[in-house]
Amino acid sequence: MGRPSPPAAKGGPEIPTTTLRVPRPELLRRGTLLLRLSRTFHALTGAFALALLALFLGIVATLTKASWSSILLNGPGFLGRDTWDPVHGVYGALPFIAGTLVTSAIGLVLAVPLALGVAVFLSELAPTRVRFALTTTVDLLAAIPSVVYGFWALAVLVPLMAGSVEPGIQHLTGAVGPFSGHAGGLDVFTAGVVLAIMILPTISAVSREALSAVGRQQREAAMSLGATRWEATRLAVLGPAMSGIVGAILLGLGRALGETIAVTLVVGNNNQVPSSLFSPGQTISSWIANDLNSAVAQGPAIYGALIELGLVLLLLTVAVNVVARLLIWRIRRGEAGGSPLRRRRPHRGLAAGSTGVGTAVVPGAHPEWRRAALARLPQRVRRRHGTFLLVGGLCLLATVLAVVPLASILYTAVGYGGPAVVRPTFYTETQPAACNPGPVTPNCPIGGVGPQIEGTIILLGLAALIAVPVGILIGIYLAEYGRHRLGPGVSFVTDVMTGIPSILLGTFVLVVFLEYVPSVANSGIAGGVALSILMLPLIVRTTEEALKTVPVAVRESALALGFPRHRVTLRVAIGTARNAIVTGVLLAAARAGGETAALLLTTGGFQYWPLGLTHPIGALPLVIFESGLSGYANWETDAWGATLLLLGIMLIISLSTRLLLRRAPSNE
């Protein structure tokens, strides 16, 4: 029945109103169509999630297949031999493994104390008004491309190490043992220092997250018993957060093991086992970057041996990242804790009262003991307060030291690259003929990096075209449908893939293209595919986390109105979380825009205007790496200008995304 007609106005006709009826067969067909669309969308997202698993397994399988002949030929002795002699067909990985482990160990030893000091200061001790600014400043170190670190290290750090630091260490230690040898600056110690600077923001950020995950009640309980802020942190926070801190250290180790370009520029590139900290060395990733492209033409033996080196690095970094992710997952699930002894038995200082009078007021205590304890109370209070000030000062010092490299990099880039970037032709011209000022050519021609800017835009556009839709669909699957066994597995593999060194992703793409389409193995297509694989895990992770923040009530309200599941996801959930998703895409683009190692193997390093996706193509990171080492003054000027330009782009993207996330409305 229809609703009653409303009364007509005076002198007007009655207004008939009837409920719009949809024929039942049409309603059934529409409902069936929507149900099929929802199931198709579910299947599509699940298929892409399975494709991500297949990609990870494909990387392992491809490197294994390409190196299988070398594995059979060299046997287990490959890992223990210290000779790399292509002329006689003798290949040993020991110098590269030793260089990788030594530089990573130096980086960890230097970075971990500073990173923990930064994490404690920013999460526990820093005033609220300056916490965000300091956190953002320290985290900006993670946005600096590795080629910029390496180029800065060549200009600033290597002369400093060779002129002051290393001779000073030798003077103090007598230049014996690990401190013997020539202190030339280009050695494993300098490479370790660069790695320490690079992994510090990673360890600091994850450790800060682990500390923040500990409930406020534990801090407040400790402080209510009279503990200082440092004592509350040491006794009630560090223990429960220890699993996350260890995971952060392992994540830093994973990045240090796979770092390529910055290490390649400063490690010295000597294929020998380092005999001291000041010996030139070589790492697995730096050797692959230096030699893989030429090895393709030298024959299958050396090519297979280099791929086998990459397989060793892949297995090592995956193992480290798996352990790190498992520990971090414990923190996120709220299962982390200190040792059983710490959990079962409170610390004596907290149990007795940290004011120093707890043991003196025990019932039945001798009066003389009580008087002695009370007499020592002011001294103990001063000592505890002094300890708090000392620890706070050390943590503040660690934060300042963490910021110093960022300031130095910016100052150096502006000083050397400023004259280049202010010229309008720098953005439109090609590089000139190589030249050094002299009697014949007192003024060398200055060019620009126009082809590299265009090449970077093309590569990023192709990579985004592949990675953004695929990554968002996989993130939708993990957040909306992946609550059974496949979902956690895909999520875990996504986290592990973020730790795979980019040099190995470039190696994988190069091997695949050489196998199936060798004509475009060094081209814009190969470079774009490599960058898309690099971007994919970050987009997946940020999309998943963004969609999980959308309240369940929002989805249920839309479903109650009759919207099908896929429309609720696409229009409601993604619409609510779009700011965070866009932020993730920008961060992924920033990471890909500063990538050098993967492009070094896949693009061909072309320095002229792009001729198409099937031809070699240039990029800003490549011109920094190649021209910065050329030894020609005008090319080095272009390299510094490209450094400043790339650095400015990365920092602007990083700051913009942080401000966007901070100003985004809360969904709670």
Side-chain angles (χ1 to χ4, degrees):
M1 294 180 59
R3 291 180 300 172
S5 299
K10 287 185 177 182
E14 181 178 354
I15 302 174
T17 59
T18 57
T19 303
L20 180 63
R21 293 179 178 271
V22 179
R24 186 176 182 85
E26 180 66 25
L27 187 62
L28 289 175
R29 282 195 297 269
R30 183 179 180 185
T32 302
L33 176 61
L34 291 177
L35 181 60
R36 288 177 179 174
L37 287 175
S38 292
R39 290 176 176 175
T40 302
F41 183 73
H42 183 183
L44 179 65
T45 58
F48 279 111
L50 287 173
L52 183 64
L53 289 177
L55 175 62
F56 175 71
L57 296 176
I59 293 173
V60 179
T62 299
L63 296 184
T64 302
K65 179 184 176 182
S67 61
W68 190 248
S69 60
S70 176
I71 295 173
L72 295 178
L73 178 64
N74 296 310
F78 177 77
L79 300 177
R81 282 193 291 269
D82 60 357
T83 301
W84 187 275
D85 186 3
V87 176
H88 298 91
V90 179
Y91 300 100
L94 185 59
F96 315 107
I97 296 175
T100 301
L101 296 178
V102 170
T103 54
S104 300
I106 295 172
L108 279 185
V109 169
L110 296 176
V112 169
L114 290 176
L116 294 183
V118 172
V120 170
F121 181 76
L122 294 180
S123 65
E124 306 294 326
L125 305 178
T128 305
R129 287 178 292 182
V130 301
R131 183 171 298 169
F132 175 76
L134 288 176
T135 300
T136 302
T137 303
V138 173
D139 289 348
L140 283 177
L141 287 168
I144 298 176
S146 61
V147 67
V148 175
Y149 276 114
F151 200 32
W152 165 79
L154 276 178
V156 176
L157 190 59
V158 170
L160 178 64
M161 300 294 286
S164 302
V165 177
E166 292 181 356
I169 293 176
Q170 287 188 329
H171 178 73
L172 293 175
T173 60
V176 296
F179 305 104
S180 60
H182 173 65
L186 293 173
D187 47 46
V188 294
F189 184 68
T190 303
V193 173
V194 175
L195 287 178
I197 298 172
M198 297 181 67
I199 67 177
L200 187 147
T202 299
I203 300 175
S204 171
V206 180
S207 298
R208 193 170 65 244
E209 179 183 346
L211 294 173
S212 300
V214 180
R216 301 298 307 177
Q217 296 86 349
Q218 294 177 247
R219 297 173 174 82
E220 293 169 356
M223 296 183 71
S224 67
L225 293 174
T228 63
R229 294 180 67 181
W230 162 241
E231 290 170 340
T233 301
R234 179 172 61 88
L235 301 174
V237 178
L238 290 179
M242 189 54 63
S243 292
I245 293 173
V246 174
I249 295 172
L250 290 177
L251 281 180
L253 174 61
R255 180 176 183 187
L257 291 171
E259 178 52 43
T260 303
I261 298 301
V263 173
T264 301
L265 292 173
V266 300
V267 75
N269 298 314
N270 186 6
N271 296 351
Q272 293 182 357
V273 177
S275 58
S276 72
L277 295 180
F278 301 145
S279 298
Q282 190 80 270
T283 66
I284 295 176
S285 55
S286 65
W287 184 233
I288 293 174
N290 284 327
D291 210 48
L292 184 58
N293 275 326
S294 60
V296 174
Q298 294 178 21
I302 185 172
Y303 174 74
L306 280 170
I307 301 299
E308 187 178 359
L309 271 178
L311 182 61
V312 171
L313 179 61
L314 176 66
L315 298 178
L316 184 61
T317 53
V318 166
V320 170
N321 279 279
V322 165
V323 176
R325 296 297 176 181
L326 289 174
L327 292 172
I328 293 172
W329 269 28
R330 289 187 62 199
I331 283 291
R332 290 177 177 174
R333 293 201 310 261
E335 297 176 1
S339 65
L341 179 62
R342 185 183 296 275
R343 292 197 301 268
R344 288 195 298 264
R345 187 176 64 189
H347 191 274
R348 179 179 176 183
L350 292 181
S354 57
T355 59
V357 299
T359 56
V361 296
V362 176
H366 196 276
E368 294 182 359
W369 184 16
R370 180 180 301 177
R371 286 194 296 269
L374 290 174
R376 291 194 300 270
L377 178 59
Q379 180 181 359
R380 182 177 181 184
V381 170
R382 287 194 299 270
R383 183 173 65 251
R384 291 172 54 244
H385 185 65
T387 301
F388 167 67
L389 294 178
L390 176 63
V391 172
L394 291 176
C395 292
L396 176 60
L397 177 62
T399 306
V400 173
L401 291 177
V403 175
V404 167
L406 176 63
S408 177
I409 290 172
L410 292 174
Y411 177 80
T412 306
V414 171
Y416 286 103
V421 298
V422 297
R423 292 185 293 105
T425 56
F426 177 76
Y427 306 95
T428 58
E429 293 184 356
T430 62
Q431 284 188 281
C435 172
N436 276 320
V440 179
T441 54
N443 296 316
C444 290
I446 303 297
V449 292
Q452 288 75 26
I453 295 175
E454 182 177 338
T456 301
I457 295 173
I458 292 173
L459 289 170
L460 285 179
L462 178 59
L465 189 64
I466 300 172
V468 172
V470 174
I472 291 177
L473 287 174
I474 298 174
I476 289 173
Y477 175 81
L478 295 177
E480 303 294 325
Y481 307 106
R483 290 179 172 81
H484 47 78
R485 292 185 178 180
L486 178 60
V490 174
S491 183
F492 188 75
V493 168
T494 300
D495 285 338
V496 173
M497 285 189 64
T498 60
I500 295 179
S502 60
I503 188 69
L504 297 183
L505 299 180
T507 302
F508 163 71
V509 172
L510 178 65
V511 170
V512 171
F513 274 73
L514 286 174
E515 179 72 20
Y516 299 104
V517 278
S519 61
V520 293
N522 292 120
S523 64
I525 292 178
V529 171
L531 292 185
S532 69
I533 300 175
L534 187 70
M535 294 172 63
L536 185 61
L538 186 55
I539 296 175
V540 172
R541 170 59 58 233
T542 53
T543 301
E544 179 190 1
E545 295 299 328
L547 292 177
K548 285 182 177 179
T549 63
V550 178
V552 177
V554 174
R555 292 181 173 87
E556 292 177 345
S557 299
L559 290 171
L561 292 175
F563 285 96
R565 179 73 179 272
H566 71 282
R567 293 189 67 184
V568 172
T569 300
L570 293 175
R571 299 186 62 178
V572 178
I574 290 185
T576 305
R578 62 181 179 274
N579 284 347
I581 295 175
V582 170
T583 298
V585 172
L586 290 175
L587 289 176
R591 183 184 180 190
E595 175 55 36
T596 307
L599 297 183
L600 195 65
L601 299 180
T602 56
T603 60
F606 205 60
Q607 63 175 343
Y608 302 109
W609 292 104
L611 301 177
L613 291 177
T614 58
H615 294 78
I617 193 170
L620 285 174
L622 294 179
V623 76
I624 297 172
F625 180 74
E626 294 171 352
S627 299
L629 299 177
S630 64
Y632 295 104
N634 55 350
W635 280 20
E636 290 181 356
T637 300
D638 284 344
W640 276 112
T643 299
L644 183 57
L645 177 61
L646 184 62
L647 188 61
I649 294 172
M650 297 301 108
L651 295 182
I652 289 173
I653 292 176
S654 181
L655 286 173
S656 300
T657 52
R658 290 182 181 278
L659 292 175
L660 181 63
L661 282 177
R662 193 186 187 198
R663 300 175 66 177
S666 176
N667 293 321
E668 298 179 358

